[in-house]
Amino acid sequence: RQRLERELQAERERLERLKATKEEQERQRKEEEKRQKEEEERRLREEEEERQRLEEERIRLEQEAIERRRQEELQRLEQAKLAAMEEERQRAEELRQLAEKAFQEEKAALQVQHNEELRQLRSQVAASKDEQEVSRTEHEAEIQRLKEDVETQKLLQQEQATSSEKQSGEMNERIQSLEE
């Protein structure tokens, strides 16, 4: 009977050990499940954080690409504007040169025309002076001729007066001689 009790006691102890082992295994299994669940949650959190980080990085890269394209477009527009301004400046310079050339040509033509008009005026003035000189000379000659005519007439009149006086004197002498 003692042997049976000892066996029973050994069996109880064995069962208790088994129970304790089973409880320990259950506790370890629960801890492992909890650890795995926590690990899974941590992994899911990390994956979500990584997904969010990647999404934020994608958005940042897209925004950078948009900004880069915008800057490139602004640069292209600025270059096009500068090119257009340079083209306009060159066109304006060409127009200025054409206008300057036209002005110089017109100025030269006006100078030629002016010189020709001046030459004609000088020629007319010289011809007028010549005409005036000829006219003055003719006028002086006419005056001289008139003066000479007047002198001639004076001389003739004096001669006639002298002749008349002589005749008058002769007539008076005749009359006196006849009276005597």
Side-chain angles (χ1 to χ4, degrees), residues 15-162:
L15 282 174
E16 280 187 22
R17 277 195 309 272
L18 262 170
K19 185 179 171 185
T21 302
K22 220 174 185 186
E23 284 175 355
E24 179 63 21
Q25 284 176 348
E26 184 64 22
R27 187 189 62 75
Q28 285 180 357
R29 185 188 65 75
K30 284 183 180 178
E31 282 182 4
E32 182 63 21
E33 281 179 0
K34 183 181 175 186
R35 189 189 62 73
Q36 283 179 357
K37 186 178 177 184
E38 287 173 352
E39 180 66 26
E40 181 66 17
E41 287 173 355
R42 184 190 60 76
R43 188 183 62 74
L44 288 173
R45 264 193 325 274
E46 286 176 354
E47 283 179 359
E48 180 61 22
E49 288 171 0
E50 180 66 12
R51 189 192 64 71
Q52 284 181 355
R53 188 189 65 75
L54 289 173
E55 181 65 16
E56 288 170 0
E57 181 68 11
R58 183 189 65 76
I59 290 169
R60 185 187 64 79
L61 290 173
E62 280 180 3
Q63 288 174 341
E64 285 178 1
I66 289 168
E67 180 62 20
R68 190 171 45 254
R69 283 192 300 274
R70 191 181 72 78
Q71 289 295 330
E72 288 170 356
E73 185 63 25
L74 285 174
Q75 190 175 13
R76 277 193 301 276
L77 287 172
E78 186 65 24
Q79 288 172 346
K81 183 179 173 184
L82 289 173
M85 287 171 62
E86 177 61 20
E87 186 178 322
E88 184 63 26
R89 188 197 65 75
Q90 287 176 353
R91 195 167 147 270
E93 179 61 20
E94 288 171 5
L95 289 174
R96 188 198 64 75
Q97 288 176 357
L98 285 173
E100 178 68 21
K101 182 180 176 185
F103 171 76
Q104 292 299 334
E105 288 172 355
E106 185 175 345
K107 183 179 173 185
L110 285 173
Q111 187 64 43
V112 167
Q113 181 182 355
H114 174 73
N115 290 343
E116 179 60 24
E117 288 174 357
L118 194 59
R119 186 192 63 72
Q120 288 176 0
L121 285 173
R122 285 181 180 156
S123 175
Q124 289 173 359
V125 166
S128 178
K129 281 184 180 178
D130 288 347
E131 285 177 16
Q132 284 179 353
E133 183 63 28
V134 166
S135 179
R136 189 182 60 77
T137 304
E138 288 175 354
H139 182 65
E140 287 175 355
E142 181 68 21
I143 290 172
Q144 188 60 37
R145 189 181 58 73
L146 288 172
K147 281 181 181 178
E148 288 172 359
D149 286 350
V150 167
E151 284 298 318
T152 304
Q153 290 209 3
K154 274 186 186 177
L155 287 173
L156 284 173
Q157 285 175 358
Q158 284 176 358
E159 284 178 11
Q160 285 176 356
T162 306

